[in-house]
Amino acid sequence: MALTAEQIREDVADVLGEDPVDIPDDENLVDYGLDSIRLMTLVERWRGQHEKPVSFADLAEEPALEKWVRVLGADA
């Protein structure tokens, strides 16, 4: 099963305890409570769900949904 932009948003909202519609695409997720533990939770959740390997460093570099969709090669 390939990751989709919607699944990424839902997973991020889940680990942050937010409603998916409340997280803007271009906001820094650190401002919403993303920390290294939550990011590792997402990396583990997404491993094997798409063709490109998930890298903690790649996601930590630009912690925003719009960037992650591109980095993860997710379907819109």
Side-chain angles (χ1 to χ4, degrees), residues 24-29 34 59 62-69:
D25 290 339
D26 60 348
E27 284 293 318
N28 185 324
L29 296 171
L34 183 72
L59 298 181
E62 297 183 277
L65 289 174
E66 67 182 0
K67 306 293 185 185
W68 286 5
V69 167

Side-chain angles (χ1 to χ4, degrees), residues 22-63:
D22 292 337
I23 303 173
D25 290 339
D26 60 348
E27 284 293 318
N28 185 324
L29 296 171
V30 173
D31 295 339
Y32 284 80
L34 183 72
D35 57 20
S36 61
I37 301 296
R38 289 181 175 100
L39 181 52
M40 280 306 303
T41 299
L42 291 167
V43 168
E44 289 303 316
R45 187 178 291 185
W46 295 334
R47 276 210 174 118
Q49 289 191 20
H50 58 91
E51 297 164 11
K52 296 169 74 174
V54 177
S55 164
F56 177 91
D58 288 342
L59 298 181
E61 186 176 327
E62 297 183 277

